[in-house]
Amino acid sequence: MIGGYGWQNADDICQVGGEPPGPRGNCRRCQTEESLMMSNTSKLTEQQITQSTDRLEKDNPKDDELTADLEKRSRSGIINEPISKVLKKPRSSTRFSTFGSTSSMNGQLQNGSILVYGKESTVVQNSTTSKHKRISHMLDKSLESSSEVQSEVHIASSDLQKQVEPEHIFLSSEREAGISDMEVVSAAEAISSPVDLPFMSGIPLNPGVFIMTPAGIFMADSALQMAGLVEYPLQNDLASAIHSGKKKRKRCGMCEPCRRRLNCEECSSCRNRKTGHQICKLRKCEELKKKPTAALEKVILPSGAAFRWFQ
DNA sequence: CCCAACGTTCTA
DNA sequence: TAGAACGTTGGG
């Protein structure tokens, strides 16, 4: 069969249309039927897209409001929106996904302190994803190939949810329940397996590329660079402060000296408190005894799950 | 503003 | 190189 129009040779009469083949091989009758089919499919598709878009706009009337709010927060340098806005070259938002559950982020947002792939980005991303979902569903029959792309996104989203959902324990709701910053960081250290974040376009990222601070979670520069999301070189104030050694470290609160509550009153630091400005030697944090550079490597290097910031 | 204590510099 | 002294930061 040539061309699938129902005729076999140029001299044949079309078996479908019963007429000699035309310039495109099939007969006029076949051409007419084909033309009608194409026309209907095209009309249906455009109509469905228009309808679904209208419906989506009704479903998410506050998208503009959210966007404005997100932009307002982003001025503080906090990653609180899909990275596409951070990028000079925006990427498809279907590649982004959520980090943490909706409910877990409420406290942080209300405080206006920090947001990392939390509620607001969830709202935006979900709406975006659902748009694609619905449109994809409608076009499934006529656009088989595009549905493959969509399903990839769906799978990635659901996988991420399974993987990341437990991690929301590091965020606000449990902190409100009394979990200390230290415990938050310790819990993060417990994650040892790399996480494949869909918004990284399939680049598996170790949790160590995220910096968790009492103020929230940030992406390490190195992580952004690895993912090609920022241009080299990128230095944020905090990192440069550490590099320069001007940032004051805090006690870990976990070591034996840190747990000690009373000064010995006998060591030189206790005796010279007025002039020495030093904590009792028996209470000097083990972490602070180490050189700052050692602690710094632990923070910046994305090579391991463990990362430590100022406690 | 005060105080605790970290980081840096000085000194023995 | 360790300890003392001082400047400075960060939290209350």
Short mmCIF file of all heavy atoms in Angstrom, two decimals, chain A residues 247-248 250 268 272 275-278 281, chain C residues 2-11:
data_model
loop_
_atom_site.label_atom_id
_atom_site.label_comp_id
_atom_site.label_asym_id
_atom_site.label_seq_id
_atom_site.Cartn_x
_atom_site.Cartn_y
_atom_site.Cartn_z
N LYS A 247 31.95 36.27 59.89
CA LYS A 247 30.70 35.82 60.47
C LYS A 247 30.97 35.09 61.78
O LYS A 247 31.81 34.21 61.86
CB LYS A 247 30.01 34.88 59.49
CG LYS A 247 28.61 34.49 59.92
CD LYS A 247 27.66 35.61 59.70
CE LYS A 247 26.26 35.23 60.18
NZ LYS A 247 25.31 36.33 60.05
N LYS A 248 30.23 35.50 62.76
CA LYS A 248 30.42 34.92 64.09
C LYS A 248 29.69 33.59 64.16
O LYS A 248 28.52 33.49 63.83
CB LYS A 248 29.83 35.90 65.11
CG LYS A 248 30.43 35.82 66.47
CD LYS A 248 29.89 36.98 67.28
CE LYS A 248 30.29 36.88 68.73
NZ LYS A 248 29.76 38.02 69.50
N LYS A 250 28.17 30.22 66.12
CA LYS A 250 27.48 29.99 67.39
C LYS A 250 27.80 28.60 67.91
O LYS A 250 28.20 27.72 67.15
CB LYS A 250 25.97 30.13 67.20
CG LYS A 250 25.53 31.55 67.00
CD LYS A 250 24.01 31.60 66.93
CE LYS A 250 23.53 33.01 66.70
NZ LYS A 250 22.07 33.08 66.57
N SER A 268 41.31 30.17 83.48
CA SER A 268 41.78 31.52 83.19
C SER A 268 40.67 32.38 82.59
O SER A 268 40.57 33.58 82.87
CB SER A 268 42.98 31.46 82.23
OG SER A 268 42.61 30.76 81.05
N ASN A 272 39.63 35.73 84.25
CA ASN A 272 39.86 36.96 83.49
C ASN A 272 38.62 37.38 82.71
O ASN A 272 38.74 37.92 81.61
CB ASN A 272 41.03 36.78 82.52
CG ASN A 272 42.32 36.48 83.24
OD1 ASN A 272 42.54 36.96 84.35
ND2 ASN A 272 43.14 35.66 82.63
N THR A 275 38.50 41.05 81.33
CA THR A 275 39.39 41.41 80.23
C THR A 275 39.42 40.37 79.11
O THR A 275 39.67 40.70 77.95
CB THR A 275 40.82 41.62 80.75
OG1 THR A 275 41.22 40.42 81.45
CG2 THR A 275 40.92 42.80 81.69
N GLY A 276 39.17 39.13 79.49
CA GLY A 276 39.34 38.06 78.50
C GLY A 276 38.17 37.92 77.53
O GLY A 276 38.36 37.53 76.38
N HIS A 277 36.98 38.25 77.99
CA HIS A 277 35.78 38.12 77.15
C HIS A 277 35.64 36.72 76.59
O HIS A 277 35.12 36.54 75.49
CB HIS A 277 35.82 39.11 75.98
CG HIS A 277 35.90 40.52 76.38
ND1 HIS A 277 36.09 41.55 75.48
CD2 HIS A 277 35.84 41.13 77.60
CE1 HIS A 277 36.13 42.69 76.12
NE2 HIS A 277 35.98 42.47 77.41
N GLN A 278 36.07 35.77 77.32
CA GLN A 278 35.98 34.39 76.83
C GLN A 278 35.11 33.55 77.74
O GLN A 278 35.06 33.75 78.95
CB GLN A 278 37.38 33.76 76.75
CG GLN A 278 38.22 34.29 75.62
CD GLN A 278 37.65 33.92 74.26
OE1 GLN A 278 37.32 32.77 74.01
NE2 GLN A 278 37.54 34.91 73.38
N LYS A 281 36.50 27.77 79.97
CA LYS A 281 37.16 26.77 79.13
C LYS A 281 36.43 25.44 79.14
O LYS A 281 36.46 24.71 78.15
CB LYS A 281 38.60 26.59 79.59
CG LYS A 281 39.48 27.74 79.17
CD LYS A 281 40.93 27.50 79.51
CE LYS A 281 41.78 28.66 78.99
NZ LYS A 281 43.21 28.49 79.34
P DA C 2 49.22 25.22 70.87
OP1 DA C 2 49.03 23.76 70.88
OP2 DA C 2 48.46 26.05 69.93
"O5'" DA C 2 48.97 25.76 72.36
"C5'" DA C 2 49.99 25.59 73.33
"C4'" DA C 2 49.82 26.63 74.41
"O4'" DA C 2 50.33 27.90 73.95
"C3'" DA C 2 48.37 26.86 74.84
"O3'" DA C 2 48.32 27.00 76.26
"C2'" DA C 2 48.00 28.16 74.14
"C1'" DA C 2 49.33 28.88 74.07
N9 DA C 2 49.49 29.77 72.91
C8 DA C 2 49.12 29.51 71.61
N7 DA C 2 49.41 30.49 70.78
C5 DA C 2 49.99 31.45 71.59
C6 DA C 2 50.51 32.73 71.30
N6 DA C 2 50.53 33.26 70.09
N1 DA C 2 51.03 33.43 72.33
C2 DA C 2 51.02 32.89 73.57
N3 DA C 2 50.57 31.70 73.95
C4 DA C 2 50.06 31.03 72.90
P DG C 3 46.95 27.13 76.96
OP1 DG C 3 47.00 26.27 78.16
OP2 DG C 3 45.85 26.97 75.99
"O5'" DG C 3 46.95 28.65 77.45
"C5'" DG C 3 48.08 29.13 78.15
"C4'" DG C 3 48.03 30.64 78.24
"O4'" DG C 3 48.26 31.19 76.93
"C3'" DG C 3 46.69 31.21 78.72
"O3'" DG C 3 46.95 32.19 79.72
"C2'" DG C 3 46.08 31.81 77.46
"C1'" DG C 3 47.31 32.22 76.69
N9 DG C 3 47.16 32.33 75.24
C8 DG C 3 46.61 31.40 74.39
N7 DG C 3 46.61 31.78 73.14
C5 DG C 3 47.21 33.04 73.16
C6 DG C 3 47.48 33.94 72.12
O6 DG C 3 47.26 33.81 70.91
N1 DG C 3 48.08 35.09 72.58
C2 DG C 3 48.40 35.35 73.89
N2 DG C 3 48.99 36.52 74.15
N3 DG C 3 48.15 34.52 74.88
C4 DG C 3 47.55 33.39 74.45
P DA C 4 45.82 32.91 80.48
OP1 DA C 4 46.16 32.91 81.92
OP2 DA C 4 44.53 32.37 80.01
"O5'" DA C 4 45.95 34.41 79.94
"C5'" DA C 4 47.23 35.04 80.01
"C4'" DA C 4 47.15 36.42 79.40
"O4'" DA C 4 47.05 36.30 77.96
"C3'" DA C 4 45.95 37.25 79.85
"O3'" DA C 4 46.38 38.58 80.11
"C2'" DA C 4 44.99 37.18 78.66
"C1'" DA C 4 45.94 37.03 77.49
N9 DA C 4 45.41 36.29 76.34
C8 DA C 4 44.82 35.06 76.34
N7 DA C 4 44.47 34.63 75.16
C5 DA C 4 44.86 35.66 74.32
C6 DA C 4 44.76 35.81 72.92
N6 DA C 4 44.23 34.91 72.11
N1 DA C 4 45.25 36.96 72.39
C2 DA C 4 45.80 37.86 73.21
N3 DA C 4 45.94 37.83 74.54
C4 DA C 4 45.44 36.68 75.02
P DA C 5 45.40 39.66 80.73
OP1 DA C 5 46.17 40.50 81.67
OP2 DA C 5 44.17 38.97 81.16
"O5'" DA C 5 45.05 40.53 79.43
"C5'" DA C 5 46.12 41.04 78.66
"C4'" DA C 5 45.58 41.79 77.46
"O4'" DA C 5 45.15 40.83 76.45
"C3'" DA C 5 44.36 42.68 77.75
"O3'" DA C 5 44.58 43.96 77.19
"C2'" DA C 5 43.20 41.95 77.07
"C1'" DA C 5 43.89 41.21 75.95
N9 DA C 5 43.23 39.97 75.52
C8 DA C 5 42.77 38.97 76.33
N7 DA C 5 42.23 37.96 75.68
C5 DA C 5 42.36 38.33 74.35
C6 DA C 5 41.99 37.70 73.15
N6 DA C 5 41.38 36.51 73.10
N1 DA C 5 42.26 38.33 72.00
C2 DA C 5 42.88 39.52 72.05
N3 DA C 5 43.26 40.22 73.11
C4 DA C 5 42.98 39.55 74.24
P DC C 6 43.57 45.15 77.47
OP1 DC C 6 44.35 46.39 77.64
OP2 DC C 6 42.60 44.72 78.49
"O5'" DC C 6 42.80 45.24 76.07
"C5'" DC C 6 43.56 45.28 74.87
"C4'" DC C 6 42.65 45.10 73.68
"O4'" DC C 6 42.27 43.71 73.57
"C3'" DC C 6 41.34 45.90 73.72
"O3'" DC C 6 41.26 46.69 72.56
"C2'" DC C 6 40.25 44.84 73.77
"C1'" DC C 6 40.94 43.66 73.10
N1 DC C 6 40.38 42.32 73.48
C2 DC C 6 40.02 41.43 72.48
O2 DC C 6 40.17 41.75 71.29
N3 DC C 6 39.52 40.22 72.82
C4 DC C 6 39.38 39.90 74.11
N4 DC C 6 38.88 38.70 74.41
C5 DC C 6 39.74 40.79 75.16
C6 DC C 6 40.24 41.98 74.80
P DG C 7 40.14 47.77 72.37
OP1 DG C 7 40.78 49.06 72.06
OP2 DG C 7 39.17 47.65 73.49
"O5'" DG C 7 39.43 47.21 71.06
"C5'" DG C 7 40.25 46.78 69.97
"C4'" DG C 7 39.37 46.15 68.89
"O4'" DG C 7 38.98 44.82 69.29
"C3'" DG C 7 38.08 46.90 68.59
"O3'" DG C 7 37.83 46.86 67.17
"C2'" DG C 7 37.02 46.12 69.36
"C1'" DG C 7 37.57 44.70 69.30
N9 DG C 7 37.21 43.87 70.45
C8 DG C 7 37.33 44.20 71.77
N7 DG C 7 36.94 43.25 72.59
C5 DG C 7 36.56 42.24 71.72
C6 DG C 7 36.06 40.94 72.03
O6 DG C 7 35.84 40.43 73.12
N1 DG C 7 35.80 40.21 70.86
C2 DG C 7 36.00 40.68 69.58
N2 DG C 7 35.70 39.85 68.60
N3 DG C 7 36.47 41.88 69.30
C4 DG C 7 36.72 42.59 70.42
P DT C 8 36.56 47.58 66.54
OP1 DT C 8 36.90 47.97 65.15
OP2 DT C 8 36.05 48.59 67.50
"O5'" DT C 8 35.47 46.40 66.47
"C5'" DT C 8 35.82 45.19 65.81
"C4'" DT C 8 34.72 44.16 66.00
"O4'" DT C 8 34.74 43.69 67.34
"C3'" DT C 8 33.32 44.71 65.75
"O3'" DT C 8 32.81 44.08 64.58
"C2'" DT C 8 32.53 44.32 66.99
"C1'" DT C 8 33.43 43.34 67.71
N1 DT C 8 33.36 43.39 69.21
C2 DT C 8 33.01 42.27 69.91
O2 DT C 8 32.73 41.21 69.37
N3 DT C 8 32.98 42.40 71.27
C4 DT C 8 33.30 43.55 71.99
O4 DT C 8 33.24 43.57 73.22
C5 DT C 8 33.67 44.70 71.21
C7 DT C 8 34.01 45.99 71.87
C6 DT C 8 33.69 44.57 69.87
P DT C 9 31.36 44.45 64.00
OP1 DT C 9 31.45 44.43 62.53
OP2 DT C 9 30.82 45.62 64.71
"O5'" DT C 9 30.53 43.16 64.46
"C5'" DT C 9 31.11 41.87 64.31
"C4'" DT C 9 30.24 40.83 64.98
"O4'" DT C 9 30.38 40.90 66.41
"C3'" DT C 9 28.76 40.96 64.68
"O3'" DT C 9 28.26 39.67 64.39
"C2'" DT C 9 28.18 41.52 65.96
"C1'" DT C 9 29.10 40.93 67.01
N1 DT C 9 29.24 41.68 68.29
C2 DT C 9 29.15 40.99 69.48
O2 DT C 9 28.95 39.80 69.55
N3 DT C 9 29.32 41.77 70.60
C4 DT C 9 29.56 43.14 70.64
O4 DT C 9 29.70 43.71 71.72
C5 DT C 9 29.64 43.79 69.36
C7 DT C 9 29.89 45.26 69.29
C6 DT C 9 29.48 43.04 68.25
P DG C 10 26.90 39.49 63.57
OP1 DG C 10 27.09 38.41 62.60
OP2 DG C 10 26.41 40.81 63.15
"O5'" DG C 10 25.92 38.95 64.71
"C5'" DG C 10 26.32 37.83 65.47
"C4'" DG C 10 25.40 37.64 66.64
"O4'" DG C 10 25.77 38.53 67.71
"C3'" DG C 10 23.92 37.92 66.34
"O3'" DG C 10 23.16 36.92 66.99
"C2'" DG C 10 23.70 39.30 66.97
"C1'" DG C 10 24.63 39.22 68.17
N9 DG C 10 25.10 40.50 68.69
C8 DG C 10 25.39 41.64 67.98
N7 DG C 10 25.80 42.63 68.74
C5 DG C 10 25.77 42.11 70.02
C6 DG C 10 26.11 42.71 71.26
O6 DG C 10 26.51 43.86 71.47
N1 DG C 10 25.95 41.83 72.32
C2 DG C 10 25.50 40.52 72.21
N2 DG C 10 25.40 39.83 73.34
N3 DG C 10 25.18 39.95 71.06
C4 DG C 10 25.34 40.80 70.01
P DG C 11 21.64 36.75 66.63
OP1 DG C 11 21.50 35.43 66.01
OP2 DG C 11 21.13 37.96 65.96
"O5'" DG C 11 21.01 36.67 68.09
"C5'" DG C 11 21.66 35.88 69.08
"C4'" DG C 11 21.18 36.28 70.45
"O4'" DG C 11 21.85 37.51 70.86
"C3'" DG C 11 19.69 36.55 70.56
"O3'" DG C 11 19.20 35.97 71.75
"C2'" DG C 11 19.59 38.07 70.60
"C1'" DG C 11 20.89 38.44 71.30
N9 DG C 11 21.40 39.77 70.98
C8 DG C 11 21.52 40.33 69.73
N7 DG C 11 22.00 41.54 69.75
C5 DG C 11 22.22 41.78 71.10
C6 DG C 11 22.75 42.94 71.74
O6 DG C 11 23.13 43.99 71.24
N1 DG C 11 22.81 42.77 73.12
C2 DG C 11 22.41 41.64 73.80
N2 DG C 11 22.53 41.67 75.12
N3 DG C 11 21.92 40.57 73.21
C4 DG C 11 21.85 40.71 71.87
#
